[in-house]
Amino acid sequence: MSASAVYILDVKGKVLMCRNYRGDIDMAVIDKFMPLVMEREEEGQQSPILSHGDVTFMYIKYNNLYLVSTTRKNANMALIFSFLHKLVQIFVEYFKELEEESIRDNFVIIYELLDEVMDFGYPQTTDSKILQEYITQEGQKLEVAPRPPMAVTNAVSWRSENIKYRKNEVFLDVIESVNLLVSSSGNVLRSEIVGCIKMRVFLSGMPELRLGLNDKVLFQSTGRGRSKSVELEDVKFHQCVRLSRFENDRTISFIPPDGEFELMSYRLSTHVKPLIWVESVIERHAHSRVEYMVKAKSQFKRRSTANNVEIVVPVPMDADSPKFKATVGSCKYVPEINSIVWSIKSFPGGKEYLMRAHFGLPSVDNEESEGRPPISVKFEIPYFTVSGIQVRYLKIIEKSGYQALPWVRYITQNGDYQMRTN
């Protein structure tokens, strides 16, 4: 069994919109939802699943809105939560932002979408590109009744037929984010790589694409275990990928959606050598001043360069009269976040830079009790991946036999990248 009804509520629990799919639950039961949420919060508990009698509420919160689904007992919870998140994604793609005002301004189209994305409590077409072909924000002319696109009834529900481009191209971006936490003594406490492959596809017809990566499991099964390969964990694919093919022979084979989409995501919990290493010496002179010496070192190959590097150094809340000196880049004091931001436009590999800062401190006694937030680093390194993942090939097969250009980019950027200070 799946969802009985879906509601969109404001922050106070007032119903903005609702859609009854199965008719097996009294719609007024939603009045019990907000008191249950408040009760849980008072007890210091938060749960996305709440019960009242034989009715279960499942909800997500987004921008001061509650999206709530009700059901009777034995439902597929994962499916319902996945559907609620997909609903948010559809609304954002239609209205740019999902908030109370955009709900009130677009209630007619939202009712149309709610009718289309679920039928008798079971999710149907949830791809916004396909929905936008026949649920539009312009009014329909009466004499021409809109016909649903073939994709709705096709096996390939994410792509329409008869797509034509003068120039057939595929852009593929491998983007890796590095999550890192370093202790004040310089030990790496946590490191992981979270990666994704994003695509922009401008291809005519119904092409089939085959993507080859230096995947460790594939290399071992084909006797190339010694070649440089990567062990991917927590791999998650877009619905277009044929999972049976991947499970059988690790081939990533798919008919792609048109335009932009995320083909896959993965994670590697490997030990990562910090790409940008930051050391800091902080001298506090009680009630008078505080001095910082921050050293930043790039620990990747010289042929690579990190762009738009930002080193964010927290300072006491009552610091004033900032003075800076840096061997490269620019520094500014940002009082809203109580931090110095040291910006370096271009940071080549194997380089080391220094920044000094000086602040006055009024005579306040609680500076030690504030706690010292970590230094955080932002960066982007093009043409480079930490994991060593490589696109070995991207084959494009289409019955008309056209030639298409695949373009591949690699980017490594910071995720949650923090270094604790003494």
Side-chain angles (χ1 to χ4, degrees):
M1 195 184 285
S2 198
S4 295
V6 169
Y7 302 80
I8 303 172
L9 314 180
D10 68 11
V11 73
K12 291 176 181 167
K14 184 183 165 199
V15 178
L16 300 173
M17 303 194 76
C18 60
R19 176 70 173 83
N20 189 353
Y21 290 106
R22 298 177 73 92
D24 60 345
I25 291 178
D26 181 358
M27 293 296 278
V29 77
I30 196 66
D31 296 341
K32 308 291 180 194
F33 170 73
M34 212 57 201
L36 283 171
V37 172
M38 307 286 278
E39 191 183 309
R40 281 294 176 96
E41 284 178 358
E42 279 170 21
E43 291 168 2
Q45 297 176 336
Q46 277 191 321
S47 168
I49 302 167
L50 302 168
S51 294
H52 174 76
D54 63 348
V55 176
T56 303
F57 300 100
M58 284 148 290
Y59 73 97
I60 61 171
K61 197 175 180 188
Y62 184 89
N63 271 1
N64 286 337
L65 293 172
Y66 289 95
L67 281 85
V68 187
S69 170
T70 52
T71 186
R72 278 192 191 280
K73 293 195 174 165
N74 189 22
N76 184 335
M77 300 287 185
L79 175 75
I80 292 174
F81 281 118
S82 181
F83 174 77
L84 292 175
H85 284 288
K86 193 73 189 172
L87 209 51
V88 168
Q89 194 183 326
I90 292 167
F91 292 156
V92 168
E93 283 172 22
Y94 261 86
F95 316 126
K96 300 293 176 269
E97 194 45 84
L98 175 60
E99 53 199 9
E100 197 173 327
E101 194 178 338
S102 60
I103 298 281
R104 293 184 192 282
D105 290 348
N106 296 284
F107 71 93
V108 173
I109 204 161
I110 290 172
Y111 273 123
E112 283 186 53
L113 287 167
L114 289 173
D115 273 347
E116 206 56 50
V117 294
M118 188 170 264
D119 188 20
F120 197 60
Y122 296 98
Q124 303 296 310
T125 306
T126 57
D127 191 300
S128 62
K129 285 192 181 73
I130 303 300
L131 290 165
Q132 280 167 352
E133 288 188 32
Y134 64 106
I135 297 180
T136 63
Q137 280 148 305
E138 294 91 47
Q140 297 287 357
K141 290 179 183 171
L142 282 174
E143 64 268 19
V144 185
R147 282 185 62 219
M150 284 292 286
V152 174
T153 51
N154 266 359
V156 184
S157 63
W158 54 86
R159 185 180 179 90
S160 294
E161 292 179 348
N162 306 318
I163 294 170
K164 285 190 173 67
Y165 285 101
R166 280 175 58 198
K167 189 178 183 184
N168 291 293
E169 291 181 302
V170 177
F171 297 89
L172 190 146
D173 287 350
V174 180
I175 302 165
E176 290 192 342
S177 299
V178 180
N179 295 333
L180 186 83
L181 180 62
V182 178
S183 73
S184 55
S185 57
N187 297 321
V188 175
L189 302 174
R190 179 175 73 100
S191 71
E192 68 170 359
I193 302 160
V194 178
C196 68
I197 295 179
K198 291 189 174 178
M199 295 189 78
R200 280 181 298 140
V201 174
F202 307 107
L203 296 174
S204 306
M206 275 285 177
E208 178 164 330
L209 275 59
R210 282 181 200 154
L211 175 68
L213 302 171
N214 56 335
D215 173 23
K216 188 173 183 179
V217 179
L218 171 68
F219 274 34
Q220 284 174 346
S221 66
T222 53
R224 289 192 298 197
R226 289 185 184 174
S227 305
K228 194 178 179 198
S229 60
V230 176
E231 192 168 1
L232 303 174
E233 300 168 35
D234 294 346
V235 180
K236 185 176 139 202
F237 289 112
H238 185 276
Q239 69 188 76
C240 66
V241 174
R242 293 187 178 94
L243 292 180
S244 55
R245 281 291 304 270
F246 182 74
E247 282 159 13
N248 288 342
D249 58 13
R250 304 292 280 193
T251 301
I252 300 170
S253 166
F254 57 100
I255 295 169
D258 188 42
E260 202 169 319
F261 69 102
E262 186 176 290
L263 176 70
M264 64 179 279
S265 62
Y266 57 90
R267 187 178 63 85
L268 290 103
S269 53
T270 51
H271 182 80
V272 182
K273 184 183 178 184
L275 298 167
I276 293 177
W277 182 261
V278 179
E279 289 175 26
S280 62
V281 177
I282 304 166
E283 283 186 24
R284 293 172 177 82
H285 302 270
H287 315 318
S288 62
R289 67 187 193 279
V290 60
E291 291 172 5
Y292 294 83
M293 190 183 80
V294 180
K295 188 162 69 175
K297 188 179 178 183
S298 51
Q299 301 192 131
F300 45 86
K301 289 176 182 167
R302 289 176 189 277
R303 64 171 179 263
S304 294
T305 300
N307 297 331
N308 305 319
V309 177
E310 276 189 8
I311 298 165
V312 181
V313 184
V315 299
M317 287 169 71
D318 55 338
D320 62 17
S321 319
K323 292 189 187 109
F324 306 112
K325 199 175 180 182
T327 53
V328 74
S330 62
C331 295
K332 65 176 177 182
Y333 172 45
V334 186
E336 307 90 81
I337 56 168
N338 299 311
S339 298
I340 309 161
V341 178
W342 179 16
S343 303
I344 304 166
K345 198 100 183 112
S346 178
F347 200 146
K351 292 281 184 186
E352 191 172 301
Y353 298 128
L354 205 62
M355 184 271 286
R356 290 176 184 275
H358 178 286
F359 285 87
L361 278 181
S363 54
V364 174
D365 291 326
N366 68 346
E367 63 195 58
E368 287 301 312
S369 65
E370 275 178 25
R372 290 171 203 154
I375 291 171
S376 59
V377 187
K378 297 176 186 174
F379 58 85
E380 192 173 271
I381 310 171
Y383 320 114
F384 174 85
T385 59
V386 203
S387 67
I389 194 169
Q390 285 177 340
V391 174
R392 289 169 44 242
Y393 60 82
L394 181 63
K395 291 178 184 167
I396 300 159
I397 304 143
E398 214 280 330
K399 62 184 178 191
S400 62
Y402 59 70
Q403 294 298 304
L405 291 167
W407 303 87
V408 180
R409 279 194 313 182
Y410 298 94
I411 300 165
T412 291
Q413 60 193 22
N414 65 285
D416 186 11
Y417 196 102
Q418 297 189 335
M419 305 201 164
R420 290 177 179 166
T421 59
N422 283 315

